[in-house]
Amino acid sequence: NQEDVIEFLHKETEGNIFFMVEVVRALAEDAGSLSNIGRMTLPQTVFAGGIQRVIQHRLSRVPTWAYQALQVAAIAGRKLDLTVLAKILAEDGIVDLQNWLMMAADAAILAVNDDYWYFAHDKLREQLIADTKVNERPQLHRRVAQAIEVTYPVNDEYAAILTEHWHIAGDVEKEARFALAAGKQAVKASNIELSIDYFLRALELTTEDEGQTRTAILSNLGESYRLNGQYEEATRYFEQAISLASDIETKARAWIGLAWAQQNQGYDNDSLTSAERAERLLGSVEPPNHRLL
């Protein structure tokens, strides 16, 4: 309520909430408490150098032993998965996770809400990542990805996250595998355009020698394009899947997908022919849809 304090905050922060919190925090530290801020002589400035200086000031309060663990947590994401993080920190000799969390909370790096821990501001997380050595980042992403895989071995809900971690880690085979799984998850979520992005990414990362995997990617691409109303592209990818498929069931399902795409374009005779080819391969035809893939 004091005009000089309000004027000072406006001058220092220009209304930026993150700046305001940090400036008031710094003033309270110097004054001894929040209530003493209005009684002290206000400084000319709190942080020279803008937001970068604010962030560095906050991070400087973290003990050296805990800083690298925060960098790993930053690589893992803004919201902390404590089970995954505990596995990684234990490898570095940090077995008391709660002590580490409370230290980071006391330094106002981490916050907790309804038992969920997260970085208090994403700019803090961004700075922690920026402070990691470029040549060390792939290994950090690898460690995070491996911990996620161990923690959630059969949960494709983490496929998109794992795709990104393995991409930066430089593991092409795993990136392709999880990009395919992420595409399927996107289809389930009715985010067809995103599924196409993931399937194209998986296709780019596989070779002709990986016939079975590549066929699955092509079939899923065909179905996603069909669901997205891009029937010519759907036809092209289904035809590629048919030519590459080595087993009867996979080839038959690609024919079914092609039959739908042709029917969507009004090519009824071609659609019937494709469906008959699938029938000859399988003996009977189940109505096609994306779940078959």
Side-chain angles (χ1 to χ4, degrees):
N1 293 326
Q2 298 182 47
E3 289 298 327
D4 58 338
V5 176
I6 294 172
E7 183 180 348
F8 180 82
L9 285 175
H10 179 72
K11 177 176 70 72
E12 286 284 291
T13 70
E14 295 183 352
N16 183 293
I17 297 297
F18 181 67
F19 273 134
M20 291 177 68
V21 170
E22 292 307 306
V23 168
V24 171
R25 188 191 305 275
L27 290 174
E29 288 176 357
D30 290 342
S33 69
L34 283 171
S35 61
N36 286 336
I37 290 176
R39 302 189 184 101
M40 67 181 283
T41 300
L42 295 172
Q44 290 297 314
T45 185
V46 174
F47 298 109
I51 195 167
Q52 195 72 15
R53 183 69 186 90
V54 172
I55 293 168
Q56 289 170 351
H57 173 76
R58 177 90 70 90
L59 293 175
S60 69
R61 301 169 63 192
V62 179
T64 303
W65 67 268
Y67 195 83
Q68 187 174 2
L70 277 172
Q71 289 179 306
V72 175
I75 290 288
R78 184 173 183 186
K79 184 178 177 181
L80 275 56
D81 185 318
L82 298 186
T83 306
V84 170
L85 198 57
K87 292 181 182 297
I88 300 172
L89 298 192
E91 297 171 1
D92 296 331
I94 301 176
V95 294
D96 191 342
L97 180 62
Q98 287 302 317
N99 181 46
W100 177 81
L101 288 170
M102 293 311 300
M103 175 282 308
D106 289 342
I109 308 299
L110 298 179
V112 62
N113 185 26
D114 294 332
D115 294 329
Y116 287 104
W117 286 85
Y118 56 94
F119 280 93
H121 198 285
D122 210 39
K123 290 190 178 297
L124 293 164
R125 175 175 169 259
E126 290 169 2
Q127 186 62 47
L128 285 162
I129 295 173
D131 285 346
T132 61
K133 295 179 180 178
V134 174
N135 62 341
E136 293 178 353
R137 291 176 195 172
Q139 181 58 26
L140 290 176
H141 280 277
R142 178 177 294 275
R143 293 181 66 192
V144 171
Q146 289 171 336
I148 293 173
E149 284 194 56
V150 170
T151 306
Y152 308 106
V154 293
N155 193 336
D156 282 343
E157 290 182 6
Y158 292 85
I161 296 172
L162 286 167
T163 301
E164 297 307 315
H165 284 309
W166 285 120
H167 170 69
I168 299 174
D171 192 316
V172 173
E173 182 179 347
K174 287 208 168 186
E175 181 186 353
R177 169 189 161 192
F178 285 106
L180 174 57
K184 292 179 179 179
Q185 285 295 113
V187 171
K188 290 180 181 179
S190 299
N191 194 336
I192 306 304
E193 291 188 358
L194 181 61
S195 76
I196 291 172
D197 290 340
Y198 276 119
F199 292 142
L200 287 173
R201 185 168 175 179
L203 187 65
E204 183 181 353
L205 296 170
T206 56
T207 65
E208 295 291 342
D209 295 335
E210 302 172 83
Q212 186 173 357
T213 300
R214 197 169 175 85
T215 301
I217 296 169
L218 290 166
S219 292
N220 279 281
L221 255 177
E223 184 61 11
S224 284
Y225 273 120
R226 190 187 75 80
L227 291 171
N228 208 40
Q230 296 171 267
Y231 304 124
E232 290 184 5
E233 288 87 349
T235 297
R236 177 158 57 91
Y237 285 111
F238 278 130
E239 288 175 343
Q240 290 181 40
I242 289 167
S243 66
L244 190 61
S246 57
D247 66 279
I248 291 175
E249 184 175 354
T250 301
K251 188 182 289 287
R253 289 180 174 178
W255 276 116
I256 292 171
L258 178 60
W260 273 111
Q262 290 167 331
Q263 187 181 71
N264 291 142
Q265 295 174 86
Y267 303 144
D268 292 341
N269 290 335
D270 291 338
S271 176
L272 181 59
T273 299
S274 296
E276 288 172 344
R277 290 186 178 183
E279 185 176 21
R280 285 197 295 271
L281 288 170
L282 288 179
S284 62
V285 179
E286 187 177 353
N289 56 59
H290 68 270
R291 289 185 296 276
L292 291 175
L293 305 179

